[in-house]
Each structure stands twice: as structure tokens, then as C-alpha cells.
Amino acid sequence: MKLFFRYTLLVGLVVGLATPIVHAAKKPRKSRKDEVVTISTPQGDIRLILFDKTPLHKANFLKLAQSGFYTGTTFHRVIPNFMIQGGDPNSKDADPANDGAGASDEKMIPAEILPEFTHKRGAVAAARTPDFINPQRQSSASQFYIVQNPQGTPHLNGQYTVFGQVISGQEVVDKIAQQPTAERNRPVTNIPMTVKVEKLKKKKITELYGYQYQ
């Protein structure tokens, strides 16, 4: 099942009386901290880690979350044994018919599809429009989905950008997926979210949530 939107290296030379010296570039130090994203819903809290290897998607999601963009948006599409989808600004209004369509002027995010990030249970990925109008597989500027199926959804691998992983609250994802729905798999009762970001030491994240950094 596919997800459809309705929607240079600088080298410095020191010239002296002796042989010129080439200064080797220092490798960037890896940060000892990372952001934990918490999505709060009526069913409970879901915590995520976003991947450094998908920097465009990570930076975009963190920017939106920290600005309060996601507050009041809903999980507008839920399918048991598949996934839950949310993050559309249209879901803030009173018209359920436009949920999932996205903003008319939204700028897409270039795809960052990597083979090591698969659609396993709890994977966080970017929704997008279908290939026939989006052959580059660019991502929505805000809409995302979380894989709920215990076996994952491997048929989506290589087609959508996976940019994060649930580290706590997968049972909440399960509860949301089981909510009664109406047309277009939209929950009968709104499932609003608030999103906050907390920076913690990676060691602390591993201690709290068991997430192992590679």
C-alpha cells in the first residue's frame, strides 16, 4: 500500500623561507548530545530520534517542532497494521475534507532515501505525492508517518525518506492506529498533537530509552 497525498575543501598554504606547510583539515567532532522529540496526544506520548544522515529532514522537522507549527495538527489518517500519518496544517481547521492536501504553496524537501533506513516498526518517514507527479520522490514539507505494523512495511523501502525512529511510546502508536475511522481513514474523533524538543546527552538517551547510536 502506498501513501498518497491529496495533496570544497580549503587548503591553506603558509609561505615562508622554508618549505610551504599544508595544514590538514580537522575532522568535525561528533556531538555528544542529540534531540529527543516528544509528540503528545490524547492516547499518550511518542518519543523520536531523528537521523543525522538525513540532515535536511532532521533540520526541517526540528525547526517546525520548535516553532510550534505542529501544535494543533492531528493524526488525520490511521490504518491498523500499517501506519499513522499527521502533520498537515490543514488539519487545524474545521474542514476535515482538506486534511492531507497540504498547503498550496509548500516547498518540498529533496529526497534523502538511504538503504540503511528501512520501514521497520516505529520508523518515522516523510509523506509525499505519488511518483507520476513527483518522480524525484521529494517529501512533504511537514507531513510524516510512523510505521505501526509489527512486521514493518518493507514494500515502502526505497520509495520514501525514513528520517527517524520511535524510541518510546510505540504502544501509543498502536492505540492511535486502532481508533475508529470514517472516510479516507480519518479518525472519527480528532487526535491532536503537541510537539516539543529536548536536547540530552546521547549516553542519557541510551540509559532512558535503550536507543543505541551507531
Side-chain angles (χ1 to χ4, degrees), residues 158-173:
Q159 300 183 57
Y160 298 80
T161 297
V162 175
F163 65 97
Q165 179 67 37
V166 172
I167 60 172
S168 174
Q170 184 65 36
E171 73 281 358
V172 177
V173 177

Side-chain angles (χ1 to χ4, degrees), residues 109-141:
I109 305 172
E112 295 179 299
I113 301 173
L114 301 175
E116 60 262 48
F117 299 144
T118 62
H119 283 76
K120 63 184 181 180
R121 178 169 168 84
V124 182
R128 65 172 178 85
T129 49
D131 286 359
F132 70 91
I133 59 174
N134 179 23
Q136 295 82 20
R137 296 178 171 174
Q138 299 178 92
S139 301
S140 163

